[in-house]
Amino acid sequence: MLKKWCFMGIFLIFMNAAVTGCSGEKNDHPSESEKEEKLIEDTLQKSEEPLYPVLIDDIEILIGETTIQSLLDNGLRMDIFETTPSYEYYEHEIDPEEKLKANSSYSGFSIHLTDSVYAFVSIATDEEAVKMGDAVIASMNFSFDDGDKADFARIAFNNIPLTELNREKAEEIFPDFTGNENILFSPFDMKEYRYFMEFDLQNDGLLTGLTLEKKYDTDRNSRL
């Protein structure tokens, strides 16, 4: 009988220890493995957002990734608009060696294919101050109202030449985009990127405007 009670006592002590171990207070500080799992989850969520490329003469540009220096090395020219003390605008080639601040965005740039075919561009830096050549393309805004159609064929969006990208085809390729007969834009719940397209219904619904942008904090905007 005594052995039976001793056995029951040991069993209850063991069970109490097991329950206490399972139901102890939750640790508010995540472990390293939990941190890694969270990082992987966040990365997967970001990777679900499509990053559509622009190609100029087969030179691929990815907003938020492509550096200015890589475009210069491939023969593209980038200019910047500036003002004189009398507030007159003038344009000149950039200096890729110029130093830029960390965590900043800069506007007023352009990439020219011809005098009438070009893109307005903004650039951005990350957590370290870098030379302008090491900054990345943050946004691009194309306008195709004027210019030779052959020049537009030198540009492609998501590997489709702009001369072939009309309103109907765009809706097939980007089924999650919304808009009306004249415009299409990316879903509002996209956290990293923004895309916007304009079309001319009087000209076979062809693309007349294209904007691509990587979203940054609003307080990043700077001028050189």
Side-chain angles (χ1 to χ4, degrees), residues 38-195:
K38 181 67 166 58
L39 179 61
I40 292 172
E41 181 182 347
D42 291 344
T43 302
L44 288 174
Q45 287 179 348
K46 288 183 178 180
S47 65
E48 291 175 358
E49 291 192 9
L51 176 51
Y52 298 119
V54 166
L55 287 87
I56 300 177
D57 292 335
D58 294 326
I59 301 168
E60 184 180 71
I61 303 175
L62 297 171
I63 54 172
E65 295 187 11
T66 299
T67 64
I68 290 177
Q69 190 62 57
S70 68
L71 299 183
L72 299 179
D73 291 343
N74 279 285
L76 290 180
R77 170 177 167 167
M78 181 173 287
D79 297 328
I80 181 171
F81 290 97
E82 295 193 289
T83 57
T84 65
S86 57
Y87 299 102
E88 295 177 338
Y89 282 95
Y90 69 100
E91 190 176 14
H92 63 87
E93 286 192 58
I94 66 165
D95 176 8
E97 297 297 318
E98 184 173 353
K99 200 75 170 179
L100 302 181
K101 296 185 297 184
N103 293 319
S104 298
S105 298
Y106 300 85
S107 58
F109 299 87
S110 63
I111 297 175
H112 282 265
L113 275 72
T114 69
D115 289 339
S116 58
V117 181
Y118 54 89
F120 290 111
V121 175
S122 69
I123 66 177
T125 61
D126 208 336
E127 297 178 354
E128 296 181 3
V130 296
K131 296 184 298 184
M132 186 181 293
D134 294 327
V136 298
I137 302 296
S139 70
M140 302 185 75
N141 185 352
F142 293 88
S143 179
F144 311 112
D145 289 332
D146 300 313
D148 193 319
K149 193 172 182 179
D151 294 324
F152 300 153
R154 298 168 57 189
I155 308 171
F157 179 44
N158 199 29
N159 300 311
I160 301 169
L162 297 189
T163 50
E164 302 175 13
L165 189 57
N166 59 20
R167 175 65 175 78
E168 182 179 357
K169 191 174 187 67
E171 192 168 17
E172 293 176 4
I173 297 170
F174 309 104
D176 56 335
F177 282 28
T178 56
N180 55 35
E181 291 181 340
N182 299 300
I183 62 173
L184 277 178
F185 47 86
S186 52
F188 289 112
D189 59 358
M190 289 186 68
K191 297 179 180 179
E192 278 202 280
Y193 307 107
R194 182 183 293 116
Y195 305 97

